[in-house]
Amino acid sequence: MFSLDLLLNAIVAGILIGGFYAAVSLGISVSFGLLDIVNIAHPAFVILGSYTAYAMNRFFGFDPLLTGLLFTPVFYALGVVVYRLYYLGFERKGEESLRGLVFFFGVLFIVEVALLLAYGVDYRMIEARYVGQSFHIGVVGIAFRLLLPCLVGLMVTVALHLFLSKTFYGRAIKAVSQDSQALRLMGVDPVKIKRIAFALSIATASLAGALLILIGPVEPSIGREYIGRVFAIVVLGGMGSISGTLAASVILGVVESLTATFSGPSWAPAVSFGILLVVLAVRPAGLFGR
Amino acid sequence: MAALLEVRGVTKRFGGFQALSDVSLEVREGERFGLIGPNGSGKTTLINCISGALGTDGGTLVFRGKDITRLPAHQRTRLGICRSFQIPRPFTSMTVLENLCIPLEYAAHGQVPRSAVASEAMEILRLMGLDAKAQARPADLTGIDMRKLELARAMAAKPRLLISDEAMAGLSPAEVDAILPILFALNERGITIIMIEHIMRAVMRFSQRIAVLDAGEKIAEGTPEEVVSNKRVEKAYLGE
Amino acid sequence: MKKTVPLWVVLGVVVAAFLFTRLGGNRYIYFAGYFVLQYIVLATAWNVLGGYTGYVNFGTAAFFATGAYTALVLILAFKATLPVQIVAGALTAGLLGLGIGYLTLRLRGVFFSIATLALSVVLQTVVSNWEYVGGGKGLSIIRPKAPALFASHAEYLFVVMVLLAAASVALAWWVQNSRVGRGLAAIRDNEEAAECMGVPTLRLKLFATTLSGCLMGVAGTPFPYYVTLVEPGSVFSLDYAVNSLAMPMIGGTTTWVGPVIGAVLLGTAQQVATVTISSELNLLIVGIVLVAFVMLAPQGIVGLVQRLFHRRSR
Amino acid sequence: MAWHGQTGTRRRWIVGVLIGVMALGTAWAPAAQAAEPIKIGFGMALTGALAGNGKAALMAMQMWAEDVNKKGGLLGRPVELVYYDDQTKPAAVPGIYTKLLDVDKVNFIVSGYGTNVIAPLFPIAMERNLVLMGLFGMANNEKLKYKNYFQIMPSGPNPALGWSQGFFEVAAKQQPKPQTIALVGADAEYPHNALVGAREHAKNFGFKVVYDGKYPPSTVDYTPIIRAIKATNPDLVYVASYPPDTAGIIQAAQEVGLPVKMFGGGMVGLQFAALQTKLGSKLNGVVNYEFYVPEPTVNFPGINEFLARYQAQAEKAGVDPLGHYIPPFSYAYVQILGQAVEATKSLDQKKVAEYIQANEFNTIVGKVKFAPNGEWAKSRVLMVQFQNVQGSDVAQFKKAGTRVVLYPEDWKSGTLIYPYSKAQK
C-alpha cells in the first residue's frame, strides 16, 4: 500500500496542517516561550475565536477570515484584561508559575463552559465558497480548506517574526523575560511590555480560531485536544523561537499525516505526544532551542 | 597541615564554552582560603563543581582523602562540604528556625539527636545574632539578616569546609564589617573556609592564601601579598 | 505512642463506616459517599506531590486509569478479588509514579506538568489500541456477588473506599509531620538549596511521585466494579485531573487537612449539583471558585482560617 | 422542587395547585396528593458529549407524559418524569439511579441515551429485578442476557449485523457486482461494533477487505486517511463515524475525489439537520443508515403529528429541528412501558416485563416486538441514499425525496443511483 503518490500527498497534507498548527501555537510561543506565562487556556481562546467567526458568519454572512482579522483588536483587549488579572493576582506577588498555571486552568474551564451555555455541545461548521474546493498539482491534491489556513498561518508567523525582530517593542518583548532590569534602565516598563505581548498572543487566537472552524467542525471542549499538541510544538520548537515553532508545527503535522496514512491513524496522537515526552526527557531545550 | 580538599585538574565545558580548564588547587584543614577572579572567570562554576551542583568533565575531587568526584551534592554535604548561595535561597515557607532544622535533620543526620534539633538551631542563631528573628519568615528579613540566615543555615549542616559565595556582595562597609567577624569566629571553631568575594578589602583581610582564576584557568596562588604583586593577576584585572 | 495514633484512627473510622452500613437505610448515601471519598484519595495523593513537593501533576487521570485498568486485567485474567486488585493497582501505578519521578531529574516546574499531560494522552492512546481490555470501545464486566457481611456491592465499595481514604489521609498526615515531609517542603521551596543542605532530593522526589501515583492508582482500582463499564473516555476523564488539583488548591496545599476539606466541599457540591441544577452551571461554578481561590486566597480555606485565627489572637 | 421531579405538565400542575390553595385554603392539599403520580426515573445527557441528543430525547419523553396525562394518566394516576443530568458520564449513572430508586422512590426506571450510560445500569436493575427500557444502546445485553431489558433502537436481534445489513444487501445486487471494500471507523464504542458487523458481512457477501482502519476521534484532518483508502482502490467504502468525523470524512472525500461505487453506511450525524444543511449537495450519493425518514412508504400512525409538535418546539429548545432520529424512539420506549402498565393494570416489575416480552406494541415508530435478548425481534435499520439535495435549506429534509429508502424492501421508496460518482453530478 506504499506508493510515492501517497507519500507526497501525506507530506503535503502534513505541511498544510502544520501551517495551521503554527497559527494556533504562535500565541503560546509568545506567552509561554517569551513571557514565561503558562497560558494553557490559549486553546480555549482559539475556540472562542472559532465561535466568533461562526456567529458573524451565521448572522451577517461574514467570511470567517475577515471576522478573524476584524476581531483581533477585541481579542487584544481581552488579552489586556486577562493579563491585568494575572499580573495583579500572581506576577506582582512573585507566585506566577504554579498558581498561575491553576489560574489559567480555571480560565480554560470558564471560557469553555460559557461557550457551552451559549451554543450547546453541538458541532458548528461554517460555509464559505472555498470550502470543499480543491485543485491538483501533478499527483498532489490540495484543498482550499487546508491551503488557506496554512497560508494565513504562515503570514501570521512571518508578521510576528518581523515584529519581534525589527521593531523596538518586538525586541523589548524578546528581552523582557531575561533582562527586565535592563529594560527598566532604558526607561521601559516591563509590565507594559508583557501586557502588550500577552495581548498580542491572545489576538492571534482570533485568527487561529477562524482557521480552526474552516478546517473542521468545532465544539466548545475541542480545545482540550489542542493543549497537548500545542505545547508539544512550542517545546519542540525551542520555547519562544518563532521560526522553531513553525518548523516544529510542520514536523508534527507531517508526522501525524504520515502515521495516519501508513500505519493506522489510531496511533497518531501517541506519536506526537511520544515525541514530546522523548524530547522533554532528552533535550528539554527543544529541537531548535539554544 | 594535611589537605582537606584537593582539586586535581578539573575541567568543565558548557556546550562549546570552556568554563574551567585543568584547575588544580589544595585547601588545607583549618585554612581561610580566598578565591578571586574577574566576572565570568569560572569561580562560581568551580564551587558548583566542588559542591556537586554540577558534574565535571574531567579531573578529580578529593575530600578528606576520599574521591568525591561522582558523589551527588547531598552526600558531599554529609561528608562536610557546605556552601552558601550568592543570592540567598531560603526555604520561603518556613520560619528562620525551621530553615536551620532542614540541614540539622539531613546533612547532620545522626550527629544531632532528634530532641536537640531545635535547641541546636537556636544556638546557631544566637551565634549569628539572629535569635530574635527565629520565628520570622525569610520574606520579612532585611538584606543583611538574609545573608546571616544563609550562613547560619550552612553552619547548621555542620560542615568541615564552608564555601561562602559572595556573602557580602551588595552590603555596605558597615555591614561587611558585621559579617567578617562571624566568618572569623567560624574559622576559629575549626571550620575551613573558602571565600569567594569581589570586595578585595575583605578577601585580603580574611584569607591566608588566595587563588586567582581567569577565563577558567588558575593564574596565581599564594599569600595575599604574593597575589597582589603578581603581574598576570594585575593584567587579568586591569587589562593590557 | 504517637506513631500508632493514626493507625487507630483509621481502624476506628473503618469500623464506624462498617457499622453504619449495617444500619441499612438508603443506598444513595453510599454512592454519594463513594464519590466524595474517591476524591479525598485523589486530592490527598495529588497534594503529596503538588502541595508538599511543588510538582504540579496534570496526569491524575493516567494514574487513576492505571489503577482501573490493572483491576480490569486482573478481573479478566484471574477473576481476582478486590483486595488483590487494590494491591496490584497500587503497585503498577506506583511504578508509573517512579518513572515519572525520574522525569523530574530533568524537568522542573511547568515542563514537568506538560510532560504529565502528555503522559495521559499517550496512555489513553495505548489503552484505546489494546483490544484485550476493550480498546476504545470499552468493556462491560459482570460483578460477582457481594462478599459476606455486606448487603450489596454499594455497601462493600463504600467501606473499601472509606478504608482507602482514611489510609491515604493517615499517610499524608505522617509524611507531613515527618522528616521526609520537611525535606519535601525544602525541595518545594528551593530544590538546589535543599540538595546543598543534605536533602537527598532525587530519592525524596521519587518517594513523593511513587506514593502519589500509588494512591491515585488505588483510587481507580474499585472503578470497574463501581461502574461495571471500563471505557477510556470516562476513565481518562479530565474531571479527575481538574478536581484533584482544584480540591487541594481550594482547601489549602500545605497541610493534610486542605485536600480533605477541598474534596468534601467540592465533591459534595458536585454531587448535589448533579441531582439538582443539572447543567453546565455545575462546571462553571468549579471554574469560578477555582479562579477566585487562587487569586484571593492562595493558601486555601486552611490559610483563610489560620489568618482569621491569627487576627483574633492578636 | 423546582429543580427536579418535573412532570410534563408541571406548570399547569403548579398553577392548578396555586389556584386551588388560594380558593380552598390549605385543606385542599391532601386531596391533590390523593392520586399519587406514577414516577418514571432516568438520567439523561443534558450536558457533555451527547447532550444535543439527550435534550431532544427528553423533550419527546415530556411530550409523551403530557399526552398520557391529558388522557387521564396511567391507571388513573398522573405520570411524573423524574430525571437528572448524567453529563454523558457512565461514572455518574450508579449514583443517579440509586437516588432515583431509594430516595425518589420511582416506580420504573428507563435508561439515558447511549450504550455507555446503559451499561452501568444493568447491575442496579438486575439486583432488584427491574424492568429496564434502553434508549439506543448497542449490544448491551449480549453477555448479561438480562430478561427484563428492552431496547428501542431497531437494530434487530443481532445489532452488529443488523446495523449494516442493508448496505451490503444493496451493494450485492448491483451490476457489475462490487468486489472490494474498505472499512474505516472512529476508535470508539459504536464504530467498533458497527465495523465488527461490517467485517462479518464482507466475509459472507464475498467482498475482499482491502483497507481496515481506525482513527482517533481527535483527528484534525481526514485527507490522509481518505487518500490511503483511495490508494487501495476499493469498490465500496463503509464508514462508521461520529458527527465531527462524518463531516470531516465527507469533506475530505469531496476534495480528494473518491472514485468508488458506494460510500457511507454507518455515519452518525447525517440524520440531523445540522450536518445535512452544512454539507448540502456534498451529500448526494452517500448511502447511509436511518431509522426514520419522511418517505411516503414510511408512515406510522401518529408520527406526523408527533413530528409537527416536536418541530414547533425544537427551535426554542435549541435541539435538532427535524427530530427524525432519536425523538420518535424516545417517545416510543416510554410509550411501550405505559402501554404495558395499562394492559397489566399493574406496577409490578415482573408482570410488566413479561407482558412487554410477550406482546407486540403499536407505537409512533410502528409495530415493535422484542426478541428474547431485548432487541427488536427483526431489524428495521433503513438504508437510504441522499438524492437531489440542493443548498442548505432545512425544509427539503422535512419532505420526501432527499433521503430515498433502498432497504428493507417493505419500505423501499426509490432506487439506488450507482455508482457514487454518478449521483454526485
Side-chain angles (χ1 to χ4, degrees):
Chain A
M1 98 160 229
F2 183 86
S3 77
L4 190 65
D5 158 14
L6 264 186
L7 181 70
L8 278 176
N9 270 303
I11 290 173
V12 169
I15 292 172
L16 292 179
I17 249 345
F20 159 69
Y21 284 170
V24 181
S25 314
L26 278 177
I28 298 216
S29 190
V30 170
S31 57
F32 181 42
L34 292 176
L35 310 177
D36 286 333
I37 299 176
V38 202
N39 180 12
I40 50 173
H42 191 79
F45 289 109
V46 173
I47 306 299
L48 194 64
S50 295
Y51 274 88
T52 314
Y54 169 77
M56 296 303 284
N57 178 267
R58 170 125 191 243
F59 298 113
F60 305 107
F62 277 29
D63 182 89
L65 290 176
L66 180 67
T67 311
L69 207 59
L70 282 180
F71 270 77
T72 42
V74 179
F75 275 70
Y76 185 92
L78 186 65
V80 170
V81 173
V82 173
Y83 180 74
R84 193 75 204 145
L85 283 176
Y86 174 76
Y87 173 74
L88 289 179
F90 310 98
E91 210 163 67
R92 201 180 43 172
K93 300 181 196 156
E95 294 170 338
E96 53 260 39
S97 61
L98 294 187
R99 295 196 179 278
L101 199 64
V102 179
F103 167 75
F104 283 114
F105 215 90
V107 172
L108 169 84
F109 241 67
I110 293 173
V111 173
E112 196 180 302
V113 177
L115 284 175
L116 265 176
L117 285 168
Y119 292 96
V121 287
D122 287 340
Y123 281 88
R124 306 284 166 170
M125 290 170 71
I126 220 161
E127 289 154 81
R129 269 165 290 108
Y130 39 85
V131 171
Q133 306 291 320
S134 63
F135 65 93
H136 285 79
I137 303 174
V139 291
V140 179
I142 294 174
F144 280 105
R145 184 172 58 90
L146 297 173
L147 180 64
L148 274 174
C150 175
L151 290 179
V152 174
L154 282 177
M155 266 150 52
V156 178
T157 310
V158 170
L160 199 63
H161 181 76
L162 289 178
F163 173 74
L164 286 177
S165 54
K166 301 284 180 213
T167 66
F168 172 74
Y169 277 119
R171 282 193 295 264
I173 288 171
K174 275 184 150 173
V176 74
S177 67
Q178 278 140 26
D179 208 347
S180 55
Q181 208 58 42
L183 279 179
R184 230 177 238 122
L185 290 175
M186 288 161 64
V188 184
D189 178 11
V191 177
K192 182 184 163 199
I193 294 295
K194 287 187 120 179
R195 190 176 64 223
I196 292 175
F198 186 81
L200 207 62
S201 81
I202 299 295
T204 64
S206 171
L207 264 172
L211 302 182
L212 177 65
I213 201 163
L214 265 183
I215 286 188
V218 167
E219 55 98 22
S221 59
I222 203 172
R224 293 177 192 168
E225 284 158 17
Y226 282 86
I227 298 176
R229 219 179 243 139
V230 159
F231 275 92
I233 287 170
V234 173
V235 173
L236 277 177
M239 301 297 292
S241 152
I242 299 299
S243 48
T245 303
L246 181 63
S249 305
V250 171
I251 288 178
L252 199 71
V254 171
V255 168
E256 279 188 4
S257 167
L258 286 175
T259 10
T261 311
F262 293 110
S263 76
S266 62
W267 284 98
V271 170
S272 53
F273 284 96
I275 294 178
L276 173 65
L277 278 182
V278 170
V279 168
L280 278 177
V282 178
R283 193 174 152 73
L287 291 177
F288 307 95
R290 291 138 280 185
Chain B
M1 270 194 289
L4 180 70
L5 172 76
E6 289 173 64
V7 177
R8 294 186 196 144
V10 163
T11 300
K12 178 76 195 169
R13 275 181 299 271
F14 295 109
F17 174 67
Q18 186 86 18
L20 292 175
S21 32
D22 198 20
V23 174
S24 298
L25 46 85
E26 250 186 53
V27 181
R28 295 169 206 149
E29 184 95 52
E31 195 172 27
R32 299 192 301 274
F33 190 88
L35 184 62
I36 62 172
N39 270 334
S41 58
K43 296 179 307 257
T44 300
T45 307
L46 181 60
I47 317 177
N48 281 339
C49 288
I50 296 173
S51 69
L54 288 175
T56 54
D57 293 322
T60 37
L61 294 158
V62 177
F63 184 69
R64 289 162 72 188
K66 200 177 156 192
D67 185 347
I68 59 164
T69 320
R70 300 264 155 250
L71 282 188
H74 68 270
Q75 286 185 22
R76 299 187 197 190
T77 312
R78 283 186 193 180
L79 282 175
I81 302 179
C82 194
R83 67 174 293 187
S84 68
F85 289 94
Q86 186 177 348
I87 299 161
R89 296 181 178 182
F91 301 128
T92 45
S93 71
M94 306 178 198
T95 62
V96 167
L97 188 76
E98 285 166 344
N99 260 276
L100 268 64
C101 292
I102 296 291
L104 281 168
E105 278 192 308
Y106 278 95
H109 187 54
Q111 297 174 41
V112 183
R114 192 167 269 194
S115 53
V117 165
S119 58
E120 181 83 25
M122 238 6 238
E123 182 71 22
I124 297 171
L125 286 179
R126 214 166 289 137
L127 185 79
M128 295 286 173
L130 268 180
D131 43 338
K133 308 265 171 64
Q135 295 308 322
R137 301 266 162 187
D140 302 328
L141 294 184
T142 59
I144 173 122
D145 282 347
M146 201 80 112
R147 300 301 171 97
K148 285 184 181 169
L149 169 60
E150 193 69 20
L151 283 175
R153 198 177 58 178
M155 277 304 298
K158 306 261 165 198
R160 303 276 291 261
L161 170 65
L162 175 67
I163 307 173
S164 153
D165 189 0
E166 301 208 27
M168 289 168 278
L171 295 185
S172 70
E175 287 169 332
V176 169
D177 289 341
I179 296 278
L180 262 186
I182 296 177
L183 290 173
F184 272 111
L186 296 180
N187 182 243
E188 260 157 47
R189 296 174 140 218
I191 298 172
T192 311
I193 295 179
I194 299 181
M195 177 195 270
I196 291 103
E197 203 55 69
H198 264 305
I199 306 171
M200 279 302 163
R201 187 174 61 95
V203 196
M204 294 298 159
R205 217 171 94 200
F206 182 76
S207 312
Q208 295 164 323
R209 276 191 320 127
I210 290 178
V212 188
L213 284 184
D214 182 36
E217 285 179 59
K218 187 176 87 176
I219 55 167
E221 188 179 333
T223 62
E225 297 75 28
E226 286 166 7
V227 166
V228 169
S229 55
N230 187 308
K231 283 275 176 293
R232 277 187 77 188
V233 175
E234 199 177 311
K235 215 193 284 176
Y237 268 89
L238 302 175
E240 300 290 332
Chain C
M1 263 293 281
K2 204 179 146 200
K3 267 186 191 164
T4 56
V5 170
L7 208 66
W8 290 113
V9 173
V10 171
L11 221 74
V13 169
V14 175
V15 170
F18 176 72
L19 291 177
F20 177 69
T21 62
R22 303 303 291 168
L23 292 175
N26 95 55
R27 282 187 212 160
Y28 174 61
I29 291 176
Y30 308 130
F31 281 97
Y34 178 96
F35 179 85
V36 175
L37 288 164
Q38 155 192 309
Y39 275 121
I40 290 183
V41 180
L42 284 176
T44 302
W46 182 90
N47 202 45
V48 167
L49 187 62
Y52 295 176
T53 325
Y55 277 82
V56 171
N57 178 1
F58 280 139
T60 305
F63 294 94
F64 183 85
T66 304
Y69 273 99
T70 306
L72 178 65
V73 169
L74 289 177
I75 292 168
L76 294 175
F78 312 111
K79 301 219 177 322
T81 57
L82 191 57
V84 178
Q85 294 168 31
I86 290 173
V87 172
L91 286 177
T92 43
L95 266 177
L96 185 66
L98 191 67
I100 279 290
Y102 278 102
L103 273 183
T104 65
L105 265 179
R106 314 208 44 149
L107 302 178
R108 302 268 160 91
V110 200
F111 289 96
F112 174 79
S113 306
I114 295 170
T116 56
L117 200 73
L119 176 82
S120 220
V121 179
V122 170
L123 223 58
Q124 183 171 0
T125 314
V126 170
V127 167
S128 300
N129 282 285
W130 186 14
E131 285 309 319
Y132 183 68
V133 293
K137 159 180 175 273
L139 202 71
S140 289
I141 56 158
I142 304 166
R143 45 184 193 214
K145 245 171 72 92
L149 292 178
F150 294 97
S152 79
H153 255 92
E155 279 96 338
Y156 178 46
L157 292 177
F158 172 74
V159 173
V160 167
M161 229 359 144
V162 168
L163 170 70
L164 296 178
S168 23
V169 172
L171 267 172
W173 178 88
W174 172 78
V175 169
Q176 183 196 328
N177 291 299
S178 70
R179 194 166 80 103
V180 172
R182 289 186 286 277
L184 293 178
I187 293 175
R188 177 189 62 209
D189 285 353
N190 195 312
E191 194 162 333
E192 210 174 339
E195 177 80 19
C196 278
M197 292 305 133
V199 179
T201 52
L202 178 62
R203 209 187 314 155
L204 284 192
K205 283 189 297 183
L206 290 179
F207 169 80
T209 53
T210 309
L211 178 64
S212 172
C214 171
L215 292 179
M216 285 176 179
V218 158
T221 45
F223 185 93
Y225 277 164
Y226 177 70
V227 185
T228 70
L229 168 74
V230 184
E231 171 255 337
S234 51
V235 178
F236 284 90
S237 163
L238 193 69
D239 289 15
Y240 298 115
V242 177
N243 280 327
S244 63
L245 176 151
M247 287 164 176
M249 283 285 172
I250 286 169
T253 52
T254 46
T255 58
W256 63 271
V257 214
V260 177
I261 293 175
V264 169
L265 283 183
L266 212 57
T268 314
Q270 286 176 11
Q271 192 61 30
V272 170
T274 322
V275 295
T276 49
I277 322 175
S278 72
S279 83
E280 290 89 349
L281 279 174
N282 182 357
L283 297 172
L284 195 62
I285 291 166
V286 178
I288 290 173
V289 168
L290 183 62
V291 168
F293 262 94
V294 285
M295 289 199 67
L296 305 173
Q299 303 305 319
I301 291 173
V302 171
L304 280 182
V305 172
Q306 276 171 352
R307 233 190 296 167
L308 208 71
F309 204 69
H310 254 259
R311 220 172 279 159
R312 277 218 192 122
S313 67
R314 263 176 207 169
Chain D
M1 188 59 217
W3 298 117
H4 59 92
Q6 294 160 334
T7 59
T9 54
R10 197 184 84 218
R11 240 171 258 148
R12 229 165 294 161
W13 268 94
I14 292 173
V15 171
V17 169
L18 278 178
I19 294 169
V21 168
M22 278 187 286
L24 298 167
T26 43
W28 205 80
Q33 284 172 358
E36 204 191 311
I38 293 176
K39 292 183 188 172
I40 298 177
F42 54 94
M44 188 56 81
L46 303 177
T47 55
L50 299 180
N53 292 339
K55 282 178 183 162
L58 176 63
M59 209 171 96
M61 292 165 78
Q62 284 168 331
M63 284 165 63
W64 171 78
E66 221 170 279
D67 289 348
V68 168
N69 287 335
K70 224 181 287 171
K71 287 184 203 144
L74 292 178
L75 310 178
R77 291 163 62 181
V79 167
E80 181 185 326
L81 301 181
V82 187
Y83 60 86
Y84 304 116
D85 178 12
D86 68 23
Q87 302 161 46
T88 328
K89 282 180 201 151
V93 168
I96 287 175
Y97 280 84
T98 318
K99 174 152 196 305
L100 286 168
L101 290 163
D102 290 340
V103 180
D104 304 321
K105 309 268 182 214
V106 297
N107 301 90
F108 290 99
I109 56 166
V110 297
S111 88
Y113 167 67
T115 309
N116 284 351
V117 294
I118 297 179
L121 258 177
F122 276 88
I124 296 163
M126 288 168 79
E127 243 167 38
R128 310 181 195 215
N129 277 313
L130 306 175
V131 174
L132 179 57
M133 302 298 298
L135 181 62
F136 283 41
M138 198 153 180
N140 278 102
N141 205 13
E142 210 171 356
K143 273 191 288 181
L144 294 157
K145 306 207 187 320
Y146 180 47
K147 60 182 193 321
N148 294 356
Y149 173 69
F150 307 100
Q151 196 284 121
I152 195 68
M153 185 169 65
S155 45
N158 192 337
L161 282 178
W163 198 263
S164 48
Q165 184 90 28
F167 187 85
F168 287 88
E169 294 276 3
V170 171
K173 285 204 189 97
Q174 303 308 314
Q175 288 304 329
K177 192 188 169 203
Q179 301 296 320
T180 53
I181 185 165
L183 307 171
V184 64
D187 198 356
E189 169 268 318
Y190 151 71
H192 183 96
N193 276 323
L195 287 181
V196 167
R199 249 171 243 131
E200 202 168 325
H201 279 309
K203 205 169 76 196
N204 297 342
F205 282 87
F207 300 136
K208 191 176 161 227
V209 177
V210 290
Y211 181 96
D212 191 345
K214 287 189 296 182
Y215 55 84
S218 63
T219 303
V220 178
D221 178 22
Y222 291 88
T223 46
I225 300 166
I226 295 297
R227 283 223 173 76
I229 292 173
K230 188 182 172 185
T232 62
N233 198 20
D235 291 331
L236 311 169
V237 178
Y238 183 87
V239 187
S241 56
Y242 282 129
D245 14 324
T246 298
I249 286 172
I250 290 183
Q251 244 164 11
Q254 191 85 15
E255 286 157 1
V256 173
L258 207 49
V260 297
K261 293 180 175 139
M262 257 172 84
F263 171 52
M267 303 172 117
V268 181
L270 297 185
Q271 297 76 12
F272 305 99
L275 277 192
Q276 288 168 356
T277 53
K278 288 297 172 220
L279 293 168
S281 60
K282 284 178 207 133
L283 287 171
N284 283 327
V286 172
V287 173
N288 203 37
Y289 81 97
E290 286 278 2
F291 298 137
Y292 167 80
V293 282
E295 291 290 303
T297 49
V298 191
N299 193 1
F300 311 118
I303 184 91
N304 290 335
E305 295 74 16
F306 168 81
L307 286 175
R309 259 169 78 205
Y310 169 90
Q311 286 167 359
Q313 296 178 28
E315 180 75 30
K316 211 173 71 204
V319 295
D320 179 42
L322 291 177
H324 291 163
Y325 191 62
I326 292 146
F329 290 86
S330 49
Y331 187 99
Y333 88 133
V334 276
Q335 196 182 10
I336 290 172
L337 182 65
Q339 287 177 11
V341 168
E342 278 291 342
T344 54
K345 301 255 174 291
S346 159
L347 296 177
D348 184 70
Q349 303 284 338
K350 189 158 173 275
K351 279 187 195 154
V352 171
E354 279 167 1
Y355 182 84
I356 298 177
Q357 185 57 260
N359 292 280
E360 187 175 74
F361 294 84
N362 270 314
T363 72
I364 64 164
V365 296
K367 290 189 163 59
V368 181
K369 172 96 179 75
F370 291 103
N373 69 354
E375 301 290 344
W376 280 39
K378 192 160 170 275
S379 160
R380 206 195 67 206
V381 178
L382 309 175
M383 208 41 74
V384 307
Q385 185 177 41
F386 284 87
Q387 295 177 357
N388 307 314
V389 181
Q390 281 158 352
S392 60
D393 178 24
V394 70
Q396 61 185 321
F397 297 103
K398 290 184 180 169
K399 294 183 304 214
T402 50
R403 284 174 289 170
V404 172
V405 179
L406 311 170
Y407 181 91
E409 289 298 327
D410 299 0
W411 319 96
K412 192 168 172 185
S413 69
T415 46
L416 176 74
I417 303 177
Y418 185 84
Y420 170 60
S421 49
K422 201 171 129 201
Q424 291 233 286
K425 304 259 159 69

